[in-house]
Amino acid sequence: MGNADLRQLALIEPKPLAELGGSIVAIDAHNWLYRYLTTTVRFTSSSVYTTAAGVEVANLIGVVQGLPKFFEADVTPIFVFDGGVADLKTDEVESRREQRERYEKELEAARSGGADAAEISTLESRTQRLTKTIQETTRELLDLLDVPIVEAPAEGEAQAAYMARYGDVEYAGSEDYDTLLLGAPYTLRGLTSSGDPECMDFERTLESLDLTWEGLVDAAILMGTDFNEGIPGIGPKTAVKLIREHGDLSGALEARNESIPHADRIRAMFLNPTVTDDYEYDTHIDPDIGAARQYVTEQWEIPADEVSRGFERIEDSLAQTGLDRWS
């Protein structure tokens, strides 16, 4: 959900990349990809990532630029892709769609009005969406690079959190905060930045707040999530105080003479999300750099110099970690 208020409650500390060697991280693929997609569009001419047929594939640049961070740190990423969108999230999805349409109108006006390149590129980044082509080409490129993929039945972040909670990976990876509510023991944030990430600790967060997992979810619902509007005037500190005083969401709402539609279903979305055990992946990665480079530069017409450094870093990381590590 990206609820920034949760940051005020979460126990988050820096996590040097040097300490992550040998780890496996389940990445919320849509979240990770969208960050690189919007950044690439903002700082790269559209002619670079648009094919002669007019198809935009800025994602391919983002993937090649983003993966070396994992390989160089000897970290194995597993990209978890979203399945269906939860019914209760439709309002949030619709809100984002309407916002994007407003940005698209602003972009059209900026182009016709002769706005400067910086303003246009900013608006272009805000209108990005994970199209079918972007999702398909991302999967195909990851496959050529032998990077594991898991298909979630619903929310990718819920699946990533589940995999971390049951010990199949050491960390979930997301720029948002939902993995905390979903019970991921450790979540790495900042995986799309150039520096060290930070680690969000689930158990220490509960201890610091003197709340159970259920209590943390109840406090978040009072504040507002992707699935519901919060109660006006209730921020992080007040939400925690109400849950401590009244025991749970029901008691807090009764004390305030308030109600939240579908409250039980919303709790279940976090405490018992739709996930699957039906996944397999091989963490011994053996990327076909040549085929991946050809796919990006020849099939999808990305200029070679835009991705050369990314592919070089991937190749260098193979030498640094040793071929026996990857194959």
Side-chain angles (χ1 to χ4, degrees), residues 254-276:
E254 184 177 353
R256 299 271 299 205
N257 195 27
E258 299 275 6
S259 65
I260 294 177
H262 313 295
D264 288 342
R265 288 180 61 193
I266 296 167
R267 287 179 102 238
M269 298 293 291
F270 294 112
L271 299 173
N272 296 289
T274 301
V275 294
T276 182

Side-chain angles (χ1 to χ4, degrees), residues 101-318:
E101 288 178 349
R102 289 195 296 272
Y103 286 142
E104 287 172 347
K105 291 178 181 179
E106 292 177 18
L107 175 59
E108 184 179 352
R111 285 171 171 164
S112 61
D116 61 41
E119 181 181 351
I120 289 175
S121 64
T122 297
L123 288 170
E124 285 177 335
S125 71
R126 292 174 177 173
T127 60
Q128 292 306 298
R129 65 189 75 192
L130 298 179
T131 65
K132 182 178 179 181
T133 296
I134 284 175
Q135 296 198 48
E136 289 178 349
T137 55
T138 297
R139 284 175 170 85
E140 289 167 0
L141 178 55
L142 291 175
D143 183 59
L144 290 170
L145 292 171
D146 203 29
V147 175
I149 292 174
V150 168
E151 300 290 349
E155 301 282 343
E157 60 195 347
Q159 184 67 41
Y162 175 83
M163 293 166 68
R165 188 162 185 81
Y166 287 90
D168 291 332
V169 300
E170 282 79 14
Y171 301 92
S174 178
E175 300 306 303
D176 291 342
Y177 298 91
D178 267 2
T179 52
L180 183 68
L181 302 181
L182 290 159
Y186 303 103
T187 298
L188 294 179
R189 302 187 69 260
L191 293 174
T192 58
S193 66
S194 58
D196 287 334
E198 56 185 18
C199 183
M200 185 163 58
D201 189 315
F202 175 71
E203 290 295 343
R204 290 182 65 192
T205 295
L206 297 184
E207 290 173 5
S208 68
L209 298 173
D210 191 25
L211 291 177
T212 63
W213 182 8
E214 293 82 0
L216 177 63
V217 170
D218 286 350
I221 294 172
L222 286 174
M223 294 154 52
T225 72
D226 273 357
F227 308 112
N228 73 285
E229 295 288 339
I231 302 299
I234 295 184
K237 292 182 180 180
T238 302
V240 170
K241 182 174 182 290
L242 285 169
I243 298 303
R244 285 177 182 164
E245 289 179 351
H246 302 288
D248 58 17
L249 178 62
S250 178
L253 290 173
E254 184 177 353
R256 299 271 299 205
N257 195 27
E258 299 275 6
S259 65
I260 294 177
H262 313 295
D264 288 342
R265 288 180 61 193
I266 296 167
R267 287 179 102 238
M269 298 293 291
F270 294 112
L271 299 173
N272 296 289
T274 301
V275 294
T276 182
D277 289 314
D278 185 18
Y279 54 82
E280 294 182 359
Y281 48 82
D282 186 353
T283 58
H284 297 284
I285 297 175
D286 184 19
D288 189 336
I289 304 295
R293 183 183 287 111
Q294 185 177 36
Y295 177 77
V296 172
T297 62
E298 296 183 19
Q299 183 169 339
W300 289 101
E301 306 171 18
I302 300 294
D305 59 356
E306 291 290 333
V307 291
S308 60
R309 179 55 184 152
F311 281 123
E312 287 172 5
R313 288 175 63 194
I314 293 174
E315 287 182 305
D316 289 345
S317 71
L318 299 180

